[in-house]
Amino acid sequence: MLQLQAIRDHKDEFIKALQKRNVDGESLLNGVLFLDEKRRTTQTQLDATLAESNKLSKEIGMLFKSGKSQEANVIKEKTGSLKEESKQLSEALNGINEELQTLLFQIPNVPHNSVPSGNTDDDNEEIFREGDIPKLIEKAQPHWELAKKHDIIDFELGVKVTGAGFPVYKGKGARLQRALISYFLDKNAEAGYTEIQVPHLVNETSGFGTGQLPDKEGQMYHVGEDDLYLIPTAEVPVTNLFRDEIVNEKEFPICYTAYTPCFRREAGSYGAHVRGLNRLHQFDKVEIVRVEHPQNSYEALDGMVEHVKNILRELKLPYRILRLCGGDLGFTAALTYDFEVFSTAQDRWLEISSVSNFETYQANRLKLRYKDENGKSQFAHTLNGSSLALPRVLAGILENYQTADGIQIPEVLVPYCGFDTI
RNA sequence: GGAGAAAUGGCAGAGUGGUCGAAUGCGGCAGUCUUGAAAACUGUUGAGGGUCACACCUCCGGGGGUUCGAAUCCCUCUUUCUCCGCCA
């Protein structure tokens, strides 16, 4: 959520930046400013009424104490109209606040200066590419064929137990999953991220805190009976740890890493692009989350990008980094870098990580603050990234590492797996 | 799941209808003393709105009610604790 003060101060810049998302910032922000103005005048009127009525109440109290109950009763009669007035004003104020809130929830984050304008993922800007695309054997297969051949992932079995998009990993496949999780967590811990385990269901307030609600309501599984949501990413529970907190400036940088399964309804997805591991309803991911001082957040973002690069280098997977264009940028992000691994057998790039700076957008919703040097509360910056999402990494490994003698395991994973070939 | 008790500032903990945003202690911050630190002493220290700055307003788990006036009384929800039941 954008800050009112920031909108007041930077309206024109914001409108221009929002154009990169093809969002009509002008009418939205003008609407906000109009309501904000209305809110303040109403609030002022209400405050004055309450002040008057507080004053009278105190007088009544004193009069009763000194035994002048008759005079007290005279004043008492005056309070009736004040009460009525304040009731009306506070109802009006509540209405305005609700309207303002609803409007603010509709406005996405303001893109960072470096974000290119554009509508679709075709307009994303490739900023980096590394790793050799392997020359595959004659009869190279996509990962879903390989998974079947080696009996390491059973998609049909998942369909029987749950439905499409819930695969069952078997034998070496399951072990490789576990190896990847451990390896990623170890790498993140090594880089200074504290490992934590968090709930896989969150309440509605948490959904609002990180911005999944109300924007992506339909993308999350909802447990109606208990009004809880299955997490679409560890970002939600981990970032919400800091909801309603005022952290000490000295604690920065705050760095956490967590492994969780992620649940996404993926309503509307279909076709060849969702085959195999490409798009699932349940998948595993190791996430990194940072809470930063606003001055350092972009440096931190760069650090996270370097960190993910290192992991992909160690895995020896060919990858590229994209800077997302305005149209492809998530609702809450100011700047996002996507990592994609080249899946040779499918001849396409697969997104395996998304690293973003949310600036104060989430912090404002979360009321996540720190004290600046003047002792004033300021919103912190939040960031997160996948480090990494498992299924497509697995797809990349299976496809790129296939040989005539089976699938090789990347060297760094062998100690975690206990085998070097599938 | 059943019965009872409770929820107050970073923490502990007073406060049962009026001047209480709230005693006191701990912690934090600043200072005195000290070569430095500790101890001791002094001061300061919740959040949000509003204002150029004050004034002023709101907040004592959430929501609603009674009252001129609510941390305090009533209703309701949530959470925690104790006992019982069940259980990985």
Side-chain angles (χ1 to χ4, degrees), chain A residues 384-395:
Chain A
N384 67 50
S386 345
S387 172
L388 287 161
L390 289 246
R392 294 176 192 157
V393 171
L394 185 59

Side-chain angles (χ1 to χ4, degrees), chain A residues 137 139-156 170 398 402-407 422:
Chain A
I137 48 170
K139 291 180 213 155
Q141 292 176 304
H143 69 266
W144 52 88
E145 303 284 355
L146 293 166
K148 193 163 196 162
K149 181 167 134 197
H150 297 283
D151 195 25
I152 52 173
I153 308 171
D154 195 325
F155 292 98
E156 285 77 26
K170 296 160 81 176
L398 296 180
Q402 60 183 307
T403 69
D405 309 317
I407 299 156
I422 293 176

Side-chain angles (χ1 to χ4, degrees), chain A residues 15 70 76 82 154 172 197 231 233 290 293 303 326 340 385:
Chain A
I15 289 171
Q70 223 162 20
K76 232 187 209 182
L82 283 175
D154 195 325
K172 284 182 171 175
Q197 294 197 7
I231 56 170
T233 159
R290 294 178 75 127
H293 192 287
E340 295 183 336

Side-chain angles (χ1 to χ4, degrees), chain A residues 8 22 54 84 107 122 131 175 295 302 323 330 399 405:
Chain A
R8 283 182 218 151
N22 306 309
N54 285 345
E84 183 56 32
I107 306 174
D122 293 333
R175 181 65 187 261
Q295 262 171 6
D302 291 344
R323 186 186 282 132
E399 293 177 5
D405 309 317

Side-chain angles (χ1 to χ4, degrees), chain A residues 81 250 255 311 384 388:
Chain A
S81 62
K250 289 176 201 152
C255 306
I311 294 178
N384 67 50
L388 287 161

Side-chain angles (χ1 to χ4, degrees), chain A residues 100-115:
Chain A
L100 186 57
Q101 180 84 301
T102 308
L103 192 54
L104 280 170
F105 274 148
Q106 288 169 31
I107 306 174
N109 202 352
V110 174
H112 184 259
N113 266 338
S114 67
V115 171

Side-chain angles (χ1 to χ4, degrees), chain A residues 362-410:
Chain A
Q362 290 182 328
N364 188 19
R365 290 186 172 205
L366 295 160
K367 301 288 167 265
L368 162 52
R369 294 151 292 170
Y370 69 94
K371 292 275 189 204
D372 67 14
E373 60 277 9
N374 301 316
K376 262 195 86 179
S377 295
Q378 303 288 354
F379 289 120
H381 281 193
T382 58
L383 304 94
N384 67 50
S386 345
S387 172
L388 287 161
L390 289 246
R392 294 176 192 157
V393 171
L394 185 59
I397 290 172
L398 296 180
E399 293 177 5
N400 290 339
Y401 277 85
Q402 60 183 307
T403 69
D405 309 317
I407 299 156
Q408 302 298 309
I409 298 296

